[in-house]
């Protein structure tokens, strides 16, 4: 399990980019369409993922695992399932809440041919 992203939903991607990329100097790493941009955070391998697809989604850490299905099977009892594993481009994603109510995103890249 590796912390890969801090998922930051936004209702205004342009304004968020103006702050983080242009104002704070974070480096743009990749984009997915017109709704998602990842930025490198200085001094860490963790990236900030700005996402305008669902601006009401909760902010939270996004962990990458080998298999979301295996993670879900092993830990679904200790976490509150918000969204069961579902297919996303390149793999699977599930959303949970920890016992204190914080949102945790877990994804894999199991169907991404570039990582195979």
């Amino acid at each position: 399990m590796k912390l890969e992203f801090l998922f930051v939903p936004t209702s205004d991607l342009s304004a968020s980019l103006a702050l983080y990329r242009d104002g704070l100097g974070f480096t743009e790493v990749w984009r997915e369409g017109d709704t998602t941009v990842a930025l490198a955070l200085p001094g860490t391998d963790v990236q900030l993922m700005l996402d305008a697809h669902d601006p009401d989604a909760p902010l939270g850490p996004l962990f990458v695992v080998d298999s979301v299905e295996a993670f879900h099977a092993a830990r679904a009892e200790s976490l509150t399932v918000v969204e069961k594993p579902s297919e996303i481009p390149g793999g699977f994603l599930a959303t949970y809440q920890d016992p204190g109510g914080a949102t945790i995103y877990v994804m894999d890249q199991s169907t991404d041919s570039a990582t195979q």
Side-chain angles (χ1 to χ4, degrees), residues 54 72 80-86 93-96 105:
D54 182 3
H72 184 77
T80 300
V81 178
V82 176
E83 289 186 30
K84 291 182 180 180
S86 62
L93 174 73
T95 307
Y96 304 92
Y105 299 93

Side-chain angles (χ1 to χ4, degrees), residues 9-113:
T10 178
S11 61
D12 188 337
L13 186 60
S14 295
S16 294
L17 281 172
L19 171 65
Y20 293 106
R21 183 190 59 201
D22 305 334
L24 298 176
F26 296 177
T27 304
E28 187 171 321
V29 180
W30 56 263
R31 283 179 179 254
E32 185 175 303
D34 294 330
T35 60
T36 306
V37 177
L39 303 166
L41 296 172
T44 180
D45 291 334
V46 177
Q47 296 176 0
L48 187 71
M49 183 192 305
L50 301 173
D51 189 281
H53 178 72
D54 182 3
D56 296 324
L59 177 133
L62 192 152
F63 296 95
V64 174
V65 296
D66 290 333
S67 168
V68 169
E69 290 289 340
F71 178 93
H72 184 77
R75 292 178 183 84
E77 297 299 318
S78 61
L79 298 167
T80 300
V81 178
V82 176
E83 289 186 30
K84 291 182 180 180
S86 62
E87 194 163 1
I88 60 170
F92 290 86
L93 174 73
T95 307
Y96 304 92
Q97 281 187 334
D98 72 12
T103 299
I104 298 171
Y105 299 93
V106 179
M107 69 172 273
D108 67 36
Q109 297 174 325
S110 61
T111 63
D112 185 356
S113 61

